[in-house]
Amino acid sequence: MKLNSNQSHEQGDDNHLSQLASVGQIAAGIAHEVKNPLTAVKGFLQLLQREKPHQYIDIAQSELESALAILNNLLQVSKPDLENEDYQTLKLSVEIEAILNLFLDKMYDIEMITEFKHPDALIYGKKNQLKRAFFNLIKNAIESIDGKGTVTVIQDIEDKDVVITIKDTGVGIPKEKLTLLGTPFFTTKEQGTGMGLAQVFSVIYQHEGKISVESKEKVGTTFTIKMPLNKKVRKRGIKRLELNYKENFSIKDFFLENRDHFEDKLLSEAINVKDKVEEIHSIGNINLLNNAHKLVLFVVEEREHELISFAKQEGIAWAKYSLTLAFKLEWIQAVRRTLWVFLYNYEVLKGTEADRDELFAMEKQINELIDQFLTHFFISYSKFKDGLLEEQRKMVENLSVPIIPINKEICILPLIGAIDNERISFILDKVLFEIEKQHIQTLIIDLSGVTPIDQEIAEQLMKITEGTLLMGCRSILTGLRADIVKGLVKFGGNYYSHAEFKGTLQLALNEVGFKQD
Ligand code: ADP
Ligand code: MG
């Protein structure tokens, strides 16, 4: 079933898409217009509340908050700052590859298959808007899968179009819901906003592209997007921004003066991090915007030492709260790009023209500092993570040799799972240590839970019983299986004379006349 297709017999549906695209656009336009007066009302209510508090004002304020939240949602469809974005030539394959990295944490359950048949195919469009659209589509595909599944993204050329298909093995969309896709606020998710597809439809439509969907409940959904192929590479100039400049401003003054502009530009560059700013703040108390300002100032003032300790601190925070690395990368890259746009504008406004040598020197200095930041960030990130892994490994090792006292003299060691050389030497250490510490007289080693072992491991196991004996402790092996016995028999009588054998744990306990203390 298709919602829309470029085949002529379904032309009627094409109309549906353009209608939806314009519904989204109009809605976003209205939202933009209504938001300003409402924000003013909010301000006056706050003033009023201070002058003459009244409980109704509280209610009015909270109702107003929810109205503003709805408007903000609508603005997701087309943000004014994104509307102003310039067209440029770009490769969808590259953008999509970058977007997929933002979902690395989902890849344990979800297999992502990509096939870029013409990776260098160019299109002409608004990069950030398109990135956002593909982010929304891929996010939906991932969210449609409960548990394990596959998302397949294929890029190809057909006639004069670049064609992207995004296919998931998710829940699918019921037939009667298909026509609702893209309607602002249509969502079937508890936490959904219903704005994702509205944005997608509106952007694809603006770019004179086409989008269609096929879906089958419990089987999955495939979205197909066609974008006109672009042959010419058009060079992109650096944008002149309307920034404030006063005589003799230093670069630092310039940044401080235009702080808000910098934030806006940065957020529009880091389009996918944008939605994460608040989340990251609430999880790790990390204020990305403040940190970006800090980084930029350290760079332009060449405060290398502070920059490095800041990077280390950030690496640890990022690791501690398990934040997605791809977001950090995108963020720092956006900082770098925005910084250059600002430096360019600074030079233009200052009216001096930097010569080539100066320019190269500046390039070297600035990029080196940002690279320093990234290097130290990643090293401290991975150090912290390695530390965590090492701690966990030790904990697991310890848990893997549970020596359980059942009275003052008798302990049981139930071994479970695979036993390799490394684990066996750890077991030996721990057994000897505990025998000494707890004055264990009898150790019952139960092997019923171990996976098949080879001869070498069987021999090592016997060494444990030998060591136990030397410590003056009796050892009884239980839960022996054919494979273990076979391994032991091959060694002759040397080792297994140290231990006693009982078929089951219960027999071993009977043997030692186990009584509770
Ligand atoms: P949201 O994701 O916030 O719900 P969207 O506009 O992105 O909003 O999607 C609207 C609805 O369309 C979703 O709630 C879901 O029911 C349906 N949908 C979109 N994409 C898929 C998909 N790949 N598989 C199944 N359902 C989907
Ligand atoms: Mg969505």
Side-chain angles (χ1 to χ4, degrees):
M1 69 196 79
K2 287 199 172 186
L3 167 66
N4 161 55
S5 137
N6 52 353
Q7 285 158 356
S8 57
H9 65 277
E10 285 171 32
Q11 205 61 62
D13 285 328
D14 229 16
N15 243 340
H16 179 69
L17 167 65
S18 58
Q19 270 168 8
L20 275 177
S22 42
V23 168
Q25 298 256 295
I26 293 169
I30 296 175
H32 186 57
E33 293 305 315
V34 178
K35 202 182 152 188
N36 289 339
L38 283 192
T39 311
V41 172
K42 185 177 151 188
F44 283 115
L45 278 179
Q46 274 166 357
L47 291 175
L48 199 60
Q49 180 71 307
R50 244 179 269 159
E51 236 167 65
K52 225 177 161 196
H54 193 289
Q55 68 184 53
Y56 289 168
I57 301 181
D58 285 335
I59 300 171
Q61 272 178 332
S62 89
E63 291 294 316
L64 195 57
E65 282 300 335
S66 41
L68 282 168
I70 294 173
L71 291 180
N72 275 335
N73 273 337
L74 266 179
L75 281 172
Q76 299 281 331
V77 175
S78 72
K79 294 197 173 162
D81 52 333
L82 285 183
E83 288 283 290
N84 291 334
E85 198 188 339
D86 289 331
Y87 274 81
Q88 65 184 82
T89 26
L90 58 105
K91 294 176 185 171
L92 279 180
S93 53
V94 173
E95 304 308 328
I96 290 173
E97 191 104 61
I99 290 166
L100 289 173
N101 285 333
L102 301 172
F103 295 101
L104 284 177
D105 54 332
K106 303 284 187 324
M107 293 198 191
Y108 183 72
D109 286 323
I110 298 177
E111 190 190 0
M112 305 262 191
I113 300 171
T114 51
E115 193 181 335
F116 299 118
K117 295 189 178 166
H118 299 271
D120 292 322
L122 297 171
I123 63 149
Y124 191 61
K126 297 183 174 183
K127 182 161 130 183
N128 287 326
Q129 288 225 34
L130 286 167
K131 266 172 97 170
R132 189 170 187 97
F134 282 100
F135 177 87
N136 286 337
L137 285 168
I138 292 166
K139 183 160 179 270
N140 280 344
I142 287 172
E143 285 170 352
S144 76
I145 296 170
D146 187 19
K148 301 230 181 250
T150 312
V151 173
T152 311
V153 181
I154 296 172
Q155 179 255 27
D156 201 353
I157 292 180
E158 243 174 58
D159 296 331
K160 289 187 169 115
D161 290 321
V162 177
V163 183
I164 309 276
T165 50
I166 298 169
K167 183 176 171 181
D168 64 60
T169 57
V171 289
I173 305 164
K175 200 173 176 182
E176 68 276 12
K177 297 271 168 66
L178 274 176
T179 46
L180 291 173
L181 295 183
T183 314
F185 299 115
F186 166 68
T187 179
T188 54
K189 299 170 193 164
E190 225 167 87
Q191 301 287 327
T193 60
M195 287 301 148
L197 287 178
Q199 190 270 348
V200 172
F201 282 25
S202 141
V203 169
I204 303 295
Y205 183 68
Q206 255 190 61
H207 283 80
E208 292 169 14
K210 293 198 170 105
I211 180 165
S212 60
V213 56
E214 282 183 77
S215 187
K216 198 164 179 195
E217 270 183 278
K218 300 204 181 92
V219 176
T221 305
T222 305
F223 277 89
T224 305
I225 297 99
K226 296 188 176 178
M227 301 285 292
L229 194 59
N230 184 278
K231 295 253 159 60
K232 279 175 286 171
V233 181
R234 300 174 215 201
K235 274 246 164 71
R236 206 177 1 146
I238 295 183
K239 201 171 176 158
R240 294 207 181 174
L241 304 172
E242 280 177 33
L243 301 174
N244 300 324
Y245 178 81
K246 292 200 193 93
E247 256 315 270
N248 294 330
F249 253 7
S250 68
I251 294 185
K252 184 184 171 191
D253 298 332
F254 185 66
F255 272 105
L256 291 177
E257 174 76 22
N258 293 294
R259 194 182 156 114
D260 291 348
H261 281 110
F262 183 80
E263 276 180 22
D264 289 346
K265 179 80 187 142
L266 180 58
L267 286 172
S268 70
E269 283 285 332
I271 191 72
N272 293 312
V273 183
K274 200 166 176 166
D275 295 337
K276 293 276 163 180
V277 171
E278 265 172 44
E279 193 185 319
I280 289 172
H281 195 189
S282 67
I283 297 175
N285 198 21
I286 295 171
N287 188 329
L288 281 178
L289 282 169
N290 281 350
N291 290 356
H293 287 296
K294 233 171 158 174
L295 172 61
V296 164
L297 287 183
F298 287 155
V299 170
V300 296
E301 294 186 89
E302 292 179 60
R303 286 150 67 183
E304 191 173 349
H305 185 69
E306 279 157 283
L307 178 125
I308 290 174
S309 56
F310 178 52
K312 287 183 180 164
Q313 186 190 320
E314 283 243 288
I316 291 170
W318 218 263
K320 204 161 164 184
Y321 299 104
S322 292
L323 299 169
T324 310
L325 271 181
F327 285 115
K328 184 71 185 182
L329 260 179
E330 179 168 327
W331 186 244
I332 299 300
Q333 283 157 0
V335 169
R336 191 201 295 262
R337 285 196 300 271
T338 311
L339 176 58
W340 279 109
V341 172
F342 265 61
L343 289 172
Y344 170 78
N345 277 276
Y346 174 71
E347 291 292 325
V348 169
L349 288 166
K350 214 168 90 180
T352 53
E353 269 193 33
D355 67 19
R356 203 169 54 188
D357 287 350
E358 266 176 330
L359 214 65
F360 274 99
M362 182 155 91
E363 190 275 342
K364 190 166 177 307
Q365 174 214 323
I366 286 183
N367 285 339
E368 250 174 35
L369 282 169
I370 292 188
D371 290 341
Q372 286 262 31
F373 180 88
L374 278 176
T375 308
H376 287 279
F377 173 87
F378 280 107
I379 289 174
S380 99
Y381 177 95
S382 68
K383 253 196 199 156
F384 190 89
K385 283 271 178 200
D386 288 348
L388 279 186
L389 279 180
E390 183 58 25
E391 256 171 48
Q392 277 166 2
R393 197 183 61 81
K394 283 207 180 114
M395 194 172 82
V396 170
E397 244 173 15
N398 236 337
L399 288 175
S400 77
V401 192
I403 296 181
I404 306 160
I406 56 171
N407 66 24
K408 268 192 203 132
E409 287 156 11
I410 307 171
C411 285
I412 301 180
L413 167 57
L415 289 175
I416 296 170
I419 298 184
D420 57 12
N421 270 320
E422 204 180 319
R423 186 167 169 209
I424 205 117
S425 82
F426 184 76
I427 294 172
L428 179 63
D429 284 351
K430 175 119 191 253
V431 162
L432 297 182
F433 177 78
E434 291 293 325
I435 288 174
E436 184 174 18
K437 193 174 127 203
Q438 300 191 33
H439 308 292
I440 302 170
Q441 299 291 310
T442 305
L443 180 67
I444 303 171
I445 303 176
D446 182 51
L447 300 174
S448 43
V450 302
T451 54
I453 55 177
D454 59 21
Q455 284 186 18
E456 195 189 341
I457 300 292
E459 186 183 12
Q460 299 284 340
L461 257 175
M462 288 301 108
K463 279 197 180 147
I464 292 181
T465 60
E466 189 186 7
T468 310
L469 192 70
L470 289 175
M471 299 281 294
C473 174
R474 172 185 182 195
S475 55
I476 306 177
L477 290 177
T478 68
L480 261 73
R481 291 188 318 255
D483 60 304
I484 302 174
V485 175
K486 235 162 79 188
L488 294 178
V489 171
K490 290 224 169 96
F491 295 117
N494 279 353
Y495 285 114
Y496 58 88
S497 55
H498 304 306
E500 297 163 51
F501 299 90
K502 288 285 163 214
T504 64
L505 192 54
Q506 192 167 14
L507 288 174
L509 288 170
N510 287 344
E511 164 74 19
V512 296
F514 165 67
K515 283 184 257 53
Q516 272 175 303
D517 285 338

